[in-house]
Amino acid sequence: MQDIISTIRSSRHGHVGYITLDRPRNLNAVDRAMAEAIMDTLAEWRDDPAIQRILIDSSSSKAFCAGGDIKSLYMTIQEDGPKAAHRNMVIPYQAMQMIADYPKPVITIMDGITMGGGVGLGAHAGYRVVTERSVLAMPENLIGLTPDAGGSWLLAQAPRPYGLRLALTGDRMIGAQAVTMGFADYLVSSEKLEALKAALLSDTFSEDAILKRYATTDIPSLSDAFPQAISTLYNVEDMGPHEGVPVLLSRLEASDQDWAKTDLTTLRCLCPFSLHVTWRMQQKLHATHASCDDAFALETQLVLHMISRPDFSEGVRARVIDKDNTPRWSPASLSEVKEDAVERCFKVQ
């Protein structure tokens, strides 16, 4: 028996509850309706003794979930204001935290594009699978936001300062890199996915035993997965407030390595205010040894500030609505961003 609930499909397979994200035309962008459907389904199965395992995947090989539905958030801001949009953002956060804290094993298969809110839905589960088709990233600085959906915590937990680089640049990780960085646990060939799913839906062996049967052990080391010079150039996390990003850019400018030149070009296109906020966020999370729940609470506070500023709407306009890719940031440069304006984002209202 199968139920169609909003933008997901849910079904029972013996001892397994099976959820498939099903907005393929939108690359499974998570919105309030999808989040509520996920939570309703998980709530039903939480106290059901017949359900002992949860499997979450996507109906599309192109994407597990490409992120939050930022176009919808943009329209809500235009029509009802940022507080209304913020209420719609918080619901997916709750679904992500429910997955993270779920009392039964949750396996997510992050095949294809998995960005922003997709990382939030997939990378907080107890068992996280990626494939060679997986592409993971937290590119929120591109639209005047900051890594959210619990992604800020995953980045802060990642090997330093490689996580900081990904937080600032929004650079993409392939599946093997995602395992190396702690965003996933198992790398499985896409050719083996159907067999893996069949085993997870039918076998009573432990999750680890099943996943190890299909996963590769050929995971690159940190030095093989990323340029080693990152550890030197991005070592700015312990600098004083407002110093880290400018120092980083000056180091990248002086480097003759191709990847550093690419990073520099990327960072110069991103929202200056967002870059300062993101650097400060990473510094705070690491310094305080924050939990995932702590990070979600701080993100919830931060994003209200961020979407209330003009940069978020301008970023979405330029990247998604008009697609001219020429956002007019305010302020326009890193040097114009005021330190007290950044710090205000972190003060509890």
Side-chain angles (χ1 to χ4, degrees):
M1 178 180 177
Q2 189 176 72
D3 302 314
I4 304 299
I5 305 176
S6 184
T7 50
I8 69 169
R9 299 198 306 254
S10 68
S11 56
R12 292 167 176 260
H13 295 255
H15 66 294
V16 182
Y18 186 14
I19 294 174
T20 297
L21 309 184
D22 195 28
R23 295 185 73 197
R25 292 184 180 179
N26 303 85
L27 296 179
N28 292 324
V30 56
D31 59 4
R32 180 170 181 163
M34 177 186 281
E36 288 175 339
I38 291 171
M39 287 192 289
D40 288 346
T41 303
L42 291 178
E44 177 186 342
W45 290 340
R46 182 172 47 210
D47 299 320
D48 186 338
I51 298 296
Q52 299 174 19
R53 174 188 299 159
I54 307 297
L55 175 62
I56 304 177
D57 70 357
S58 159
S59 63
S60 169
S61 61
K62 292 182 179 179
F64 172 70
C65 170
D69 193 339
I70 57 175
K71 186 174 182 180
S72 175
L73 291 172
Y74 172 90
M75 299 304 299
T76 299
I77 290 173
Q78 307 310 307
E79 296 171 4
D80 302 312
K83 289 186 178 180
H86 186 252
R87 288 193 291 271
N88 288 338
M89 295 179 76
V90 169
I91 302 301
Y93 292 172
Q94 293 171 348
M96 296 162 194
Q97 288 181 281
M98 191 172 186
I99 291 171
D101 299 333
Y102 205 66
K104 299 178 181 181
V106 178
I107 306 103
T108 53
I109 298 181
M110 297 180 284
D111 186 30
I113 300 169
T114 305
M115 297 186 183
V119 170
L121 289 177
H124 298 303
Y127 301 89
R128 306 163 300 173
V129 177
V130 288
T131 74
E132 79 283 356
R133 300 186 300 207
S134 298
V135 180
L136 281 73
M138 297 299 299
E140 285 75 15
N141 293 325
L142 188 70
I143 54 169
L145 202 57
T146 190
D148 64 339
S152 66
W153 182 77
L154 291 166
L155 291 162
Q157 295 297 305
R160 302 177 74 195
Y162 296 85
L164 176 64
R165 174 178 174 267
L166 295 175
L168 292 172
T169 64
D171 199 19
R172 300 179 175 190
M173 293 176 281
I174 60 174
Q177 291 173 319
V179 176
T180 301
M181 291 298 289
F183 277 66
D185 306 300
Y186 298 94
L187 177 64
V188 176
S189 168
S190 59
E191 295 179 352
K192 297 181 179 180
L193 275 187
E194 292 308 313
L196 171 62
K197 292 178 188 178
L200 287 168
L201 292 173
S202 61
D203 288 1
T204 56
F205 295 108
S206 71
E207 289 73 29
D208 277 317
I210 297 171
L211 290 164
K212 287 177 181 177
R213 192 190 312 162
Y214 293 92
T216 178
T217 57
D218 187 19
I219 303 299
S221 65
L222 192 61
S223 60
D224 289 333
F226 299 95
Q228 293 185 34
I230 288 173
S231 63
T232 300
L233 296 185
Y234 276 84
N235 186 20
V236 296
E237 290 175 298
D238 296 326
M239 293 186 175
H242 230 54
E243 294 179 350
V245 179
V247 169
L248 170 61
L249 263 64
S250 67
R251 290 179 183 176
L252 293 173
E253 287 171 352
S255 175
D256 61 358
Q257 298 194 45
D258 289 341
W259 71 265
K261 294 176 182 177
T262 299
D263 279 12
L264 180 62
T265 299
T266 297
L267 290 167
R268 284 174 169 168
C269 295
L270 302 179
C271 174
F273 191 84
S274 291
L275 288 174
H276 274 296
V277 169
T278 298
W279 177 81
R280 192 77 178 101
M281 178 70 153
Q282 288 297 295
Q283 187 185 53
K284 281 182 174 290
L285 290 176
H286 187 83
T288 59
H289 303 287
S291 67
C292 185
D293 286 344
D294 293 333
F296 267 109
L298 188 51
E299 290 170 352
T300 300
Q301 173 185 325
L302 277 178
V303 297
L304 178 57
H305 285 273
M306 303 295 280
I307 67 174
S308 299
R309 295 175 50 82
D311 284 332
F312 175 71
S313 291
E314 174 61 11
V316 177
R317 179 207 64 77
R319 310 296 186 189
V320 179
I321 307 298
D322 297 336
K323 299 182 180 179
D324 56 36
N325 289 315
T326 55
R328 295 178 289 275
W329 304 123
S330 178
S333 67
L334 284 169
S335 61
E336 294 176 273
V337 177
K338 302 299 183 184
E339 183 178 337
D340 61 347
V342 172
E343 290 301 322
R344 278 199 299 272
C345 293
F346 294 90
K347 293 180 180 178
V348 177
Q349 301 297 311

